[in-house]
Amino acid sequence: MVRTTAGAVRPVSGVRITGGLLRQWQDRNRQATIPHVIEELRAAGNVDNLSRLLVADPPAYRGRYPFLDTDLYKTLEGLAYEIGEGYADEGARAFFDEIVGLLQRVQAEDGYLNSFFQDPAAAKKPWEDLTWGHELYNLGHLIQAAVAANRRMGDDRLLRVAIRFADLVVRRFGEGGEEAVCGHPEVEMALVELYRETGDRDHLTQARLFVDRRGRGHLEYGIMPPEYFQDHLPFRDLPSVTGHAVRMVYLAAGATDVHLETGDRTLLEALVRLWDDMVATKLYLTGGLGSRHSDEAVGDRYELPSERAYSETCAAIGTMQWAWRMFLATGGAKYLDVFERVLFNAYAVGLSADGKAFFYDNPLQRRPDHQQRSGAEAGGEPLRRSWFGCPCCPPNVVRMMAQLGDHVAAERDDTLFLALYTEGRVETADLALTVLTDYPWDGDVRVTIDRAPGRPYALALRIPAWARDVTLDGEPAAAEDGWLTVEREWAEGDELRLGLPMPVRGHVSHPYLDATRGTIGVARGPLVYCVEQQDSPASVDDLVLSAAGVLDAKIAEPGDAVALRAMAGVAPPPSEELYPELTAESSAVAETEKVSVTLVPYFLWGNRGPEAMRVWLRAK
Amino acid sequence: MVRTTAGAVRPVSGVRITGGLLRQWQDRNRQATIPHVIEELRAAGNVDNLSRLLVADPPAYRGRYPFLDTDLYKTLEGLAYEIGEGYADEGARAFFDEIVGLLQRVQAEDGYLNSFFQDPAAAKKPWEDLTWGHELYNLGHLIQAAVAANRRMGDDRLLRVAIRFADLVVRRFGEGGEEAVCGHPEVEMALVELYRETGDRDHLTQARLFVDRRGRGHLEYGIMPPEYFQDHLPFRDLPSVTGHAVRMVYLAAGATDVHLETGDRTLLEALVRLWDDMVATKLYLTGGLGSRHSDEAVGDRYELPSERAYSETCAAIGTMQWAWRMFLATGGAKYLDVFERVLFNAYAVGLSADGKAFFYDNPLQRRPDHQQRSGAEAGGEPLRRSWFGCPCCPPNVVRMMAQLGDHVAAERDDTLFLALYTEGRVETADLALTVLTDYPWDGDVRVTIDRAPGRPYALALRIPAWARDVTLDGEPAAAEDGWLTVEREWAEGDELRLGLPMPVRGHVSHPYLDATRGTIGVARGPLVYCVEQQDSPASVDDLVLSAAGVLDAKIAEPGDAVALRAMAGVAPPPSEELYPELTAESSAVAETEKVSVTLVPYFLWGNRGPEAMRVWLRAK
């Protein structure tokens, strides 16, 4: 959660999600994902890595990576939101206390805390390898958990731990100190949040220093190039998002936080430019970021292959964090369009329907004879996996799921902005209201005023970029810059009814986007759809969609707006030749059989076994 | 070179390339590439790595990888061919003698030889890490150099070294010995060649064992999965070429050699199946193999992205080695079609026009704002690089260039097969002939008999799969299975004139190949063409080719058949939206301006600075 002290709008923290898809997701988070993650963390040794340091001659660190404490921190952060909202699972509460207790005891005299480096037998010493040590990245996640616990649970134990570590970092890397940055950005947004919580400007200054120092050659490049770390150019000079995707969006989110609290316009200019370029050239239809498995990197402009989309789940979360902060900084609805696109597609797909398995990378296509990478590190599971050797994604999914309510509303002066539609209740100092909707399955949104401000006050309703023929209380209504603003002197019980029609849409690709040329992607509302082989009588590679077929597509089961049904052509079996010779006759489109095909939301794919899947279907 | 004792046809070693493009390439190899490679090998420490072992308390091994001796071996192999054909450069000859002398002195008592592992201070002991140690891969390249020196120079010094090492391997890993394989195939084809040279069946048996043992879990998988090593399934059970592309084709080439000498039909069946599947689903238009930077891997069927083609230069060489052996095993012309396609495209592009810089990976597209990977390991050069931390490709280019003449002709009973057209002279026990042609720039081929067999004898002229309207002595002629066979009682001075017309061709892609849907690739004869930004008045991404535009394309400068010129449309500037919404109206194709565009052979791209390039151009 973000609690800004400046910016165009302020986030509203008093939101409860009471029903609908997001509530189902949050219930699943409590009932399935959190217990599963705790179990896996224990099994993988993340807890033992801390507790071993309390005994003489400790056993070896378990795991390949020195940042495994962060998976505990992300889980604690998620738990703090959930417990703050009344989650009462005894195992989860005991886990929270156990880990906090361990952290308090393991923390060194000077405030240092890292279960990999505190082992006297570790291969590296503290601060020896900032490029790969992830110690500041670790601190960042510790701070975020600590702030969440303090704000939501009123529990300041972790905050005191975090402040001690942060103060050590300020002493060592602060103004006049060692000119260093961490190989993995993350601590920047955390330090700004710590400043917001404590008011200690040293933490804000430290965040600014880490942003400003980047791109000045402070890291050591071995097999990875400087771009991987966003260390090849100062942040303000980056021409485009680049390098390791998660590092990139964490850094951008942190830079946005620094802008929010310092008002630095040069940062905002760079952020807007990088954002617009990313949205125009580097995001998947699903909102996913990262086109390359190699280096888990962003890729060039328009390089967006479906089957090799990396689109890491953590990059989706980082993109949401950046988007939300850009909205807070500017009030721009376009950032929320992306937030929503990522939320319902690139982020949501990372978790299985049962809440206990995770995609690390999220392709938009699976070929019929796809060779799943196997092996010890890569795991043998053909689709989502229960855990990873680098388990950054699962607890990241947990903490984002737990704080979705913090991304529903914002306020400025006498205006409340509804950013994300869900059944829920919003309370601010000025007013309280209830939202009833089945969004994202349906675009009907009813807002009831439960407590009125007692003065003229505006409700700004976000109109998604995909919405056409919007109505307010049944009448055509026009949005301005993505907002439909209704200012009134409200009374308790007043109602508004927003209509966001959700016909099925087709999308095509920019002509420079080679990977999806000549194909159509299907969407409805904020959801991107796909065809899984289980739902098609013909091979998904042979399906041919026409514009009419897409525009005539319907909800498959009336009253249950999950799956769609569309008519598609079936191309005749292709010749076996890989590169047939072009002839003078324009290639005649052969007559095709018509079949009825079911499309499911992309985020639900891969829950019924490893068959072929396509988001982008061949166009007629 | 390959000297089979069985198979459908036997290679002819008495070929001299006397003119044309291949002669230019071989001259460049001698004058530029070999001196450059020797200089780089010295500078990088490959020579020092050996010589240091002759002093007490040797300095540290230089370089990251334990297979750096192989770059010396590949260079020695290339030198052996060149010196055998009269290359008299003193520096090169001195280098040859120096390295052979070092190898003789460094080789251990028991025959072991590896400059990384023989260092007592090395992090690993000999044979301790077969998965990554590359010791047998090293041996393979040593053998190939040794056989080349013995055959072409009559110099058996290296052969004696190689036999001692090979015999050690037979004792250790032979029948009844340790059940092991090397993480990187290569030694298989080398051991078969050693058997061909020495007649010692133990070497053939050892090669067979290494092929048969693969896929039985003998390696240790860490971050790389078993498929990477082709160790997930026995060779005969592989459904498709997979894993690390160079490992895959080296293994397949070795398995073909084992088949050739043992007659094992089960191997041939698997090889034919794997080959056909590869050609139908996994080769780039250029003949390149390897669709993924990640793991340098082959990729799934139809996964052939242009801008991210890995298509490693070494994989091209391995594909040529496999293709040639498949031809020797079966007499099939289709294998030569691929050999030729790789030679003139995916292989040739790996070397700069000046012969002193190399591509490691060979994409088919470079985007206008391509971010070149920089950094210590990746180097800062935006196109071909003078050397690499893993320099496998440069000396591999050298040795293949030096032995191109070994791939021109083959014989069987009373038939001589002309496999590759070049100006040159072919001599066998039965006959001698001269070929005059400007192939691949022109399809006119004149064959003159210089020495006749004195009995009825057939010339089998390969008719490439791309050829139409073939003529023999001016008359229409029909090929059978890719061969035009002319049997006569030849007399000295007899002439044949083969006509292979070379109109400009367009190629489209199989409908499952998403990456190049809706685009056209231009080819002429065996050459694939591309447009570099330097040669187009409009952005290469905006060029739109029509079938008529391709079929009307002409040689740009009459009398100099390198570049082509074609008329292309220019698409209007696209909207900025990445995924525009589909509308009911079928997308009207906007009128486009027409421009004249120059296309250059793909293998010549990137010699004029790092601008955008496309092989596949948007189709109208």
Side-chain angles (χ1 to χ4, degrees):
Chain A
M1 68 172 298
V2 183
R3 185 183 286 169
T4 50
T5 69
V9 298
R10 293 185 312 282
V12 169
S13 62
V15 176
R16 276 190 75 90
I17 295 171
T18 54
L21 183 64
L22 299 190
R23 180 71 259 156
Q24 292 164 21
W25 285 359
Q26 292 195 320
D27 289 344
R28 180 183 59 188
N29 200 38
R30 293 182 176 194
Q31 290 154 18
T33 314
I34 288 173
H36 172 82
V37 164
I38 290 174
E39 194 180 315
E40 292 284 353
L41 285 168
R42 287 197 189 281
N46 298 55
V47 180
D48 294 345
N49 282 340
L50 281 170
S51 59
R52 74 193 175 109
L53 296 175
L54 300 174
V55 301
D57 201 11
Y61 184 85
R62 288 173 62 191
R64 184 190 290 266
Y65 304 103
F67 48 77
L68 295 178
D69 294 349
T70 59
D71 303 308
L72 297 172
Y73 296 142
K74 285 185 270 192
T75 307
L76 295 186
E77 184 184 349
L79 281 172
Y81 300 123
E82 297 288 8
I83 294 171
E85 278 209 35
Y87 179 51
D89 181 86
E90 273 185 35
R93 284 176 176 267
F95 179 82
F96 187 92
D97 285 335
E98 175 186 349
I99 305 303
V100 170
L102 279 173
L103 292 166
Q104 288 176 311
R105 293 166 67 196
V106 168
Q107 184 167 37
E109 274 300 307
D110 65 355
Y112 187 86
L113 181 52
N114 182 303
S115 74
F116 178 89
F117 286 97
Q118 282 181 269
D119 182 347
K124 297 172 185 172
K125 300 290 158 218
W127 310 125
E128 180 186 303
D129 179 12
L130 280 163
T131 304
W132 290 107
H134 288 76
E135 288 151 287
L136 295 168
Y137 169 85
N138 257 38
L139 168 61
H141 281 297
L142 166 62
I143 291 172
Q144 288 171 327
V147 170
N150 193 53
R151 285 184 189 162
R152 292 298 170 86
M153 299 167 63
D155 181 339
D156 72 348
R157 290 176 295 168
L158 213 48
L159 188 65
R160 283 183 278 122
V161 171
I163 290 172
R164 283 180 59 204
F165 194 2
D167 288 345
L168 169 67
V169 165
V170 169
R171 288 196 301 277
R172 186 177 182 106
F173 301 106
E175 282 185 315
E178 196 178 325
E179 289 264 338
V181 297
C182 181
H184 200 313
E186 146 70 16
V187 76
E188 297 80 2
M189 59 179 141
L191 282 166
V192 175
E193 209 61 48
L194 188 60
Y195 155 73
R196 289 170 181 148
E197 193 65 8
T198 65
D200 183 342
R201 288 196 71 87
D202 284 352
H203 300 143
L204 174 60
T205 300
Q206 192 62 49
R208 179 178 61 72
L209 287 173
F210 283 144
V211 170
D212 287 349
R213 276 181 196 157
R214 220 166 181 91
R216 302 183 195 277
H218 292 304
L219 297 171
E220 283 171 30
Y221 321 115
I223 200 154
M224 290 304 182
E227 301 90 298
Y228 176 84
F229 306 98
Q230 295 81 41
D231 199 35
H232 58 308
L233 283 172
F235 186 83
R236 292 167 184 79
D237 298 337
L238 289 174
S240 184
V241 293
T242 193
H244 185 259
V246 177
R247 282 172 169 79
M248 180 70 235
V249 286
Y250 280 16
L251 175 63
T256 314
D257 272 326
V258 170
H259 157 74
L260 271 161
E261 301 305 329
T262 64
D264 184 331
R265 301 297 303 176
T266 64
L267 264 184
L268 184 64
E269 282 158 21
L271 286 160
V272 169
R273 182 172 49 73
L274 289 170
W275 178 273
D276 288 346
D277 178 73
M278 175 179 79
V279 173
T281 68
K282 297 193 171 178
L283 276 192
Y284 281 96
L285 184 63
T286 57
L289 178 71
S291 305
R292 300 181 179 175
H293 284 242
S294 190
D295 300 358
E296 302 181 313
V298 172
D300 284 339
R301 292 190 178 107
Y302 303 109
E303 178 193 320
L304 292 159
S306 289
E307 76 272 65
R308 293 293 284 169
Y310 199 68
S311 186
E312 187 181 329
T313 304
C314 284
I317 291 164
T319 304
M320 291 162 76
Q321 291 178 309
W322 184 18
W324 183 249
R325 286 158 177 78
M326 291 299 283
F327 164 59
L328 297 180
T330 65
K334 68 178 181 181
Y335 302 106
L336 298 172
D337 283 330
V338 171
F339 182 94
E340 174 178 88
R341 179 145 64 109
V342 177
L343 169 64
F344 288 116
N345 301 286
Y347 164 71
V349 73
L351 185 60
S352 64
D354 73 359
K356 295 182 179 179
F358 309 86
F359 277 134
Y360 196 108
D361 52 296
N362 295 287
L364 279 72
Q365 176 183 12
R366 184 186 168 94
R367 293 187 179 275
D369 55 354
H370 177 62
Q371 290 261 332
Q372 183 77 9
R373 207 174 182 284
S374 65
E377 178 69 11
E381 291 156 287
L383 288 164
R384 292 179 185 83
R385 296 173 48 200
S386 52
W387 204 245
F388 304 90
C390 172
C392 52
C393 299
N396 221 355
V397 169
V398 163
R399 68 171 184 148
M400 180 50 77
M401 209 61 97
Q403 62 182 301
L404 288 179
D406 290 332
H407 301 85
V408 169
E411 55 187 336
R412 172 177 64 203
D413 305 332
D414 287 347
T415 303
L416 183 82
F417 296 80
L418 282 181
L420 183 63
Y421 297 112
T422 172
E423 185 179 321
R425 189 173 155 79
V426 178
E427 275 199 83
T428 74
D430 289 326
L431 85 170
L433 55 80
T434 298
V435 180
L436 283 180
T437 181
D438 201 22
Y439 199 91
W441 307 120
D442 184 89
D444 221 37
V445 181
R446 286 159 195 251
V447 179
T448 309
I449 304 295
D450 300 323
R451 172 163 50 79
R455 63 182 190 280
Y457 195 92
L459 289 187
L461 307 171
R462 185 174 74 87
I463 307 303
W466 50 259
R468 306 272 177 279
D469 306 322
V470 174
T471 59
L472 184 67
D473 296 329
E475 298 298 317
E480 197 172 331
D481 290 336
W483 296 104
L484 177 57
T485 307
V486 189
E487 188 175 344
R488 290 190 198 157
E489 187 132 6
W490 302 94
E492 191 183 316
D494 276 0
E495 271 198 20
L496 276 185
R497 184 167 172 178
L498 175 68
L500 301 169
M502 287 188 178
V504 177
R505 300 191 309 279
H507 288 274
V508 293
S509 307
H510 190 283
Y512 297 170
L513 203 174
D514 294 83
T516 49
R517 180 176 290 120
T519 61
I520 296 174
V522 175
R524 180 174 175 272
L527 295 167
V528 172
Y529 281 74
C530 66
V531 178
E532 290 191 88
Q533 191 56 63
Q534 292 96 330
D535 296 323
S536 169
S539 162
V540 295
D541 288 327
D542 287 326
L543 295 177
V544 180
L545 276 188
S546 65
V550 173
L551 301 176
D552 289 347
K554 296 280 178 295
I555 289 168
E557 304 289 339
D560 177 10
V562 175
L564 303 178
R565 193 158 295 151
M567 293 305 292
V570 181
S575 95
E576 294 214 340
E577 221 178 329
L578 191 54
Y579 303 113
E581 196 174 331
L582 182 72
T583 55
E585 303 84 56
S586 62
S587 55
V589 177
E591 276 302 308
T592 58
E593 179 196 350
K594 288 274 181 191
V595 294
S596 169
V597 172
T598 300
L599 296 100
V600 297
Y602 170 70
F603 79 81
L604 285 175
W605 96 271
N607 281 293
R608 292 175 293 164
E611 294 198 22
M613 179 277 290
R614 290 187 79 106
V615 166
W616 291 98
L617 296 156
R618 287 163 62 186
K620 191 163 180 174
Chain B
M1 66 171 301
V2 183
R3 185 183 287 171
T4 51
T5 69
V9 298
R10 292 185 311 283
V12 169
S13 62
V15 175
R16 275 191 76 90
I17 295 171
T18 54
L21 183 64
L22 299 190
R23 180 71 259 158
Q24 293 165 20
W25 284 0
Q26 292 195 321
D27 290 343
R28 180 183 57 188
N29 201 37
R30 292 181 177 195
Q31 290 154 17
T33 314
I34 288 174
H36 171 81
V37 164
I38 290 174
E39 193 180 315
E40 292 284 353
L41 286 168
R42 288 197 189 281
N46 298 56
V47 180
D48 294 345
N49 282 341
L50 281 170
S51 59
R52 75 194 175 108
L53 297 175
L54 300 175
V55 302
D57 200 10
Y61 184 85
R62 288 174 61 192
R64 184 189 292 265
Y65 304 103
F67 47 77
L68 295 178
D69 294 349
T70 59
D71 303 309
L72 297 172
Y73 296 143
K74 285 186 269 192
T75 307
L76 294 187
E77 184 185 350
L79 280 173
Y81 299 124
E82 295 288 9
I83 293 172
E85 278 208 36
Y87 178 50
D89 181 86
E90 273 185 35
R93 284 176 176 265
F95 180 81
F96 187 92
D97 285 335
E98 175 186 349
I99 305 303
V100 170
L102 279 173
L103 292 166
Q104 287 176 313
R105 293 167 69 194
V106 168
Q107 184 167 37
E109 273 300 307
D110 66 356
Y112 187 85
L113 181 54
N114 181 302
S115 74
F116 177 88
F117 287 96
Q118 281 180 270
D119 182 346
K124 298 172 185 171
K125 299 291 157 216
W127 310 126
E128 181 186 303
D129 179 13
L130 280 162
T131 303
W132 290 107
H134 288 76
E135 289 151 287
L136 295 168
Y137 169 84
N138 257 37
L139 169 61
H141 281 298
L142 167 62
I143 291 172
Q144 289 172 327
V147 170
N150 194 51
R151 285 185 190 161
R152 293 299 171 87
M153 299 167 63
D155 181 339
D156 72 348
R157 290 176 295 167
L158 213 47
L159 189 65
R160 284 183 277 123
V161 171
I163 290 172
R164 283 180 61 202
F165 194 1
D167 287 345
L168 169 68
V169 166
V170 169
R171 288 195 300 277
R172 185 175 183 110
F173 301 106
E175 282 184 315
E178 195 178 327
E179 289 264 337
V181 296
C182 182
H184 200 313
E186 147 69 18
V187 75
E188 297 80 2
M189 59 179 141
L191 283 166
V192 176
E193 209 60 47
L194 187 61
Y195 155 73
R196 290 170 181 147
E197 192 66 7
T198 64
D200 183 342
R201 289 195 71 87
D202 283 353
H203 300 143
L204 175 60
T205 301
Q206 192 62 47
R208 179 178 61 71
L209 287 172
F210 284 143
V211 170
D212 287 350
R213 277 180 197 157
R214 216 160 186 95
R216 300 182 196 280
H218 291 304
L219 296 171
E220 284 171 28
Y221 321 116
I223 199 155
M224 291 303 181
E227 302 89 300
Y228 176 85
F229 306 98
Q230 295 80 40
D231 200 35
H232 58 308
L233 284 172
F235 187 83
R236 292 167 184 79
D237 298 338
L238 289 174
S240 184
V241 293
T242 193
H244 185 258
V246 178
R247 282 173 169 78
M248 180 70 234
V249 285
Y250 279 16
L251 175 62
T256 314
D257 272 326
V258 170
H259 157 74
L260 271 161
E261 301 304 329
T262 64
D264 184 331
R265 302 296 303 178
T266 63
L267 264 183
L268 185 64
E269 282 158 21
L271 286 160
V272 169
R273 182 172 48 73
L274 289 170
W275 178 274
D276 289 346
D277 178 73
M278 174 179 80
V279 173
T281 68
K282 296 192 173 179
L283 276 192
Y284 281 96
L285 184 63
T286 58
L289 179 72
S291 305
R292 298 181 180 175
H293 283 242
S294 190
D295 299 358
E296 303 181 312
V298 173
D300 284 340
R301 292 189 179 109
Y302 303 109
E303 179 192 320
L304 293 159
S306 290
E307 76 272 66
R308 292 293 285 169
Y310 198 68
S311 186
E312 187 182 328
T313 304
C314 284
I317 291 165
T319 304
M320 290 163 77
Q321 292 177 309
W322 184 19
W324 183 249
R325 285 157 178 78
M326 291 299 283
F327 164 58
L328 297 180
T330 65
K334 69 179 180 180
Y335 302 106
L336 298 172
D337 283 332
V338 171
F339 182 94
E340 174 179 86
R341 179 144 64 109
V342 178
L343 170 63
F344 288 116
N345 302 285
Y347 164 72
V349 73
L351 185 60
S352 63
D354 73 359
K356 295 182 180 181
F358 309 85
F359 276 135
Y360 196 109
D361 52 296
N362 295 286
L364 278 74
Q365 176 183 12
R366 183 186 169 94
R367 294 187 179 274
D369 55 354
H370 177 62
Q371 288 262 331
Q372 182 75 11
R373 206 174 183 282
S374 65
E377 177 70 10
E381 291 156 287
L383 288 163
R384 293 178 184 84
R385 295 174 49 200
S386 51
W387 205 245
F388 304 90
C390 172
C392 52
C393 300
N396 220 355
V397 169
V398 163
R399 67 171 184 148
M400 179 50 79
M401 210 59 98
Q403 62 182 301
L404 288 179
D406 290 331
H407 302 85
V408 168
E411 55 187 336
R412 173 176 65 203
D413 305 332
D414 287 346
T415 302
L416 182 83
F417 296 80
L418 282 180
L420 183 64
Y421 297 113
T422 172
E423 185 178 322
R425 189 173 154 81
V426 179
E427 276 199 82
T428 74
D430 289 326
L431 86 170
L433 54 79
T434 298
V435 179
L436 283 181
T437 181
D438 201 23
Y439 199 91
W441 306 120
D442 184 272
D444 221 37
V445 181
R446 288 160 192 249
V447 180
T448 307
I449 304 294
D450 300 324
R451 172 164 49 81
R455 64 181 190 279
Y457 195 93
L459 289 187
L461 307 171
R462 185 173 74 87
I463 308 302
W466 50 260
R468 306 272 178 278
D469 306 322
V470 175
T471 59
L472 185 68
D473 295 330
E475 299 297 318
E480 197 172 331
D481 290 335
W483 296 105
L484 177 58
T485 307
V486 188
E487 187 175 346
R488 291 190 197 154
E489 186 131 7
W490 302 94
E492 191 182 315
D494 276 1
E495 272 198 20
L496 276 184
R497 185 168 171 177
L498 176 69
L500 301 170
M502 287 187 177
V504 177
R505 300 190 309 280
H507 289 273
V508 293
S509 307
H510 190 284
Y512 297 170
L513 203 174
D514 294 82
T516 49
R517 179 176 290 118
T519 62
I520 296 175
V522 175
R524 180 174 175 270
L527 295 167
V528 172
Y529 281 74
C530 66
V531 178
E532 289 191 270
Q533 190 57 63
Q534 293 94 333
D535 296 322
S536 170
S539 162
V540 295
D541 289 327
D542 286 326
L543 295 178
V544 180
L545 276 189
S546 65
V550 174
L551 301 176
D552 289 347
K554 295 281 179 294
I555 290 169
E557 303 289 340
D560 178 10
V562 174
L564 303 178
R565 194 157 294 150
M567 292 306 291
V570 181
S575 95
E576 292 214 341
E577 224 178 327
L578 191 53
Y579 302 113
E581 195 173 332
L582 182 71
T583 55
E585 304 85 54
S586 61
S587 56
V589 176
E591 276 302 309
T592 59
E593 179 196 347
K594 287 276 181 189
V595 294
S596 169
V597 172
T598 300
L599 296 101
V600 296
Y602 169 70
F603 79 81
L604 285 175
W605 95 272
N607 281 293
R608 292 174 293 164
E611 294 198 22
M613 180 276 292
R614 290 188 79 106
V615 167
W616 292 97
L617 295 157
R618 288 163 63 186
K620 191 164 180 174

